[in-house]
Amino acid sequence: MELLLLFLSFCFLTLSRLTFGAESGTPVTTVTVKEDDDVILPCSLDTNVNIEKMLFDWKKEGTVPQKEVFMYVEGKHYNNGLPGQDEQFRDRVSHFPEELKYGNASIRIKQTRLEDKGNYTCDFPRLQPETKIFHIELVVGAAPEPYVTILKDKGLLQCKVPGASPKPTVEWWDSDNKTLPSKMLQDKAEQGRFYVTIQTTAPKPGCYQCVSTQMEIWHRISSEICVPEVSGFSAVWVIATVVFGLVLFGAVVLLSILKAKGYNCNKGTPEATNHSSNESQHLNQASKPPLNE
Ligand SMILES: *[C@@H]1O[C@H](CO)[C@@H](O)[C@H](O)[C@H]1NC(C)=O
Ligand SMILES: *[C@@H]1O[C@H](CO)[C@@H](O)[C@H](O)[C@H]1NC(C)=O
Ligand SMILES: *[C@@H]1O[C@H](CO)[C@@H](O)[C@H](O)[C@H]1NC(C)=O
């Protein structure tokens, strides 16, 4: 539970931190960004020296030859005619001209893609007395909201995470933040994205959340769904209503059949029948004499 407090839920952090490459001892700056957002890769000479008349070169590691991201040579660069930029970065990378005089060679990458993730170097090959290379690791995250549904009748809760990166841990939590046992229905990777679907059975009515956690980027996102209180009773009510309806219908049908056979609610006993027929005779007698006279 303590660990949970470290997570900043429901928001995506763009953060950078310094770590040290184990083998070389050179600092590596890690920058984390959400897919489609712009990102600044930092690179600054701490001497504050003006680099307008210098050369700096940004490359992406991991391929041979390495990809050319952004090169600046004494005012010439990839956005004003200098050739050699890798296709992946065309029209997406810019530098900060106003910052050059402070030794700042940072670049901005527009609309980051998953394929942009990896290690970059910012190189000052002509710097005297010695060259300098900065290492920047870019982590690009995709963190879609889990899509939650109740599968009818069974109280089954389904959660689908459609294409997260890096790989998420997906769990169903009850209202006490306890993890429920769940069944993995899908767990596949496609072009660097992870598609995960899990199902669990709601033990009782209440609200449950599906939590998708990406440890590497300190990101957590969740979606909630509530199982209604009377889901068990509603079936009973439906059955009760149907049975009641049938009984009522049967009674109405029975009554109309009895009516059709000549029975009447008033003709309960033979006495009553005689009495009423006597009455009608009286009426007849009463009405007839005036006609006869
Ligand atoms: C370099 O410039 C960028 C863009 O303006 C800025 O974000 C960054 O803080 C600057 N770096 C330093 C060390 O001043
Ligand atoms: C980037 O470099 C770090 C060490 O500096 C390494 O651990 C990591 O695997 C590298 N990342 C990629 C995508 O090559
Ligand atoms: C569950 O975790 C959330 C943060 O993720 C917290 O706000 C909430 O208080 C927790 N609930 C319980 C019952 O621990």
Side-chain angles (χ1 to χ4, degrees):
M1 207 61 80
E2 281 83 349
L3 184 67
L4 297 181
L5 299 176
L6 294 173
F7 283 99
L8 293 160
S9 303
F10 312 119
C11 69
F12 202 101
L13 278 190
T14 298
L15 51 88
S16 71
R17 68 195 141 93
L18 271 179
T19 51
F20 288 85
E23 70 300 324
S24 60
T26 53
V28 177
T29 305
T30 302
V31 179
T32 303
V33 67
K34 189 180 176 184
E35 183 184 28
D36 283 332
D37 282 356
D38 296 355
V39 68
I40 292 176
L41 299 187
C43 177
S44 252
L45 293 175
D46 43 20
T47 49
N48 251 10
V49 63
N50 189 328
I51 55 171
E52 284 171 329
K53 293 275 173 280
M54 280 199 220
L55 184 160
F56 63 85
D57 189 16
W58 280 89
K59 285 187 206 159
K60 186 174 187 291
E61 299 181 323
T63 54
V64 184
Q66 298 185 345
K67 287 180 176 176
E68 275 293 338
V69 178
F70 190 84
M71 188 187 275
Y72 175 99
V73 192
E74 300 170 21
K76 278 275 190 194
H77 50 82
Y78 287 158
N79 294 335
N80 68 7
L82 193 68
Q85 188 176 35
D86 190 276
E87 195 62 40
Q88 180 181 339
F89 297 100
R90 183 148 302 161
D91 298 327
R92 294 176 57 226
V93 184
S94 53
H95 71 308
F96 300 93
E98 288 306 305
E99 295 283 335
L100 295 177
K101 48 184 173 290
Y102 310 112
N104 188 338
S106 302
I107 53 170
R108 182 207 303 275
I109 302 179
K110 272 199 297 191
Q111 293 180 314
T112 48
R113 308 166 182 169
L114 281 188
E115 59 178 352
D116 294 337
K117 74 164 176 250
N119 289 325
Y120 292 74
T121 54
C122 168
D123 191 355
F124 293 87
R126 293 187 192 160
L127 198 65
Q128 294 298 330
E130 57 174 348
T131 65
K132 242 185 149 75
I133 299 184
F134 295 87
H135 297 268
I136 293 93
E137 181 172 9
L138 178 62
V139 178
V140 182
E145 226 173 88
Y147 178 69
V148 292
T149 43
I150 300 183
L151 300 184
K152 267 187 249 163
D153 304 334
K154 297 172 202 157
L156 264 186
L157 304 180
Q158 178 164 294
C159 175
K160 221 175 203 171
V161 176
S165 182
K167 189 175 169 59
T169 303
V170 185
E171 292 175 331
W172 273 109
W173 288 8
D174 66 11
S175 50
D176 294 326
N177 292 346
K178 286 212 191 71
T179 304
L180 296 171
S182 59
K183 196 169 91 183
M184 180 82 70
L185 263 76
Q186 184 186 51
D187 184 20
K188 67 167 185 191
E190 228 172 70
Q191 288 160 2
R193 288 175 207 273
F194 294 86
Y195 299 79
V196 180
T197 304
I198 60 168
Q199 277 182 358
T200 194
T201 309
K204 57 179 167 40
C207 293
Y208 298 87
Q209 51 178 338
C210 178
V211 183
S212 170
T213 308
Q214 291 155 294
M215 272 298 208
E216 291 100 318
I217 56 173
W218 290 82
H219 186 259
R220 168 166 283 167
I221 188 166
S222 64
S223 300
E224 191 182 62
I225 198 161
C226 295
V227 179
E229 192 69 50
V230 291
S231 65
F233 292 110
S234 66
V236 172
W237 272 113
V238 167
I239 290 166
T241 308
V242 167
V243 167
F244 181 73
L246 281 176
V247 166
L248 202 67
F249 179 74
V252 167
V253 167
L254 197 67
L255 274 179
S256 48
I257 288 171
L258 289 176
K259 222 171 192 167
K261 284 190 171 175
Y263 290 99
N264 185 308
C265 288
N266 293 332
K267 298 175 179 175
T269 62
E271 276 180 351
T273 306
N274 289 341
H275 185 68
S276 64
S277 58
N278 286 343
E279 265 179 3
S280 59
Q281 278 164 17
H282 288 309
L283 280 173
N284 287 343
Q285 284 162 4
S287 56
K288 272 170 187 171
L291 284 172
N292 289 341
E293 279 172 12

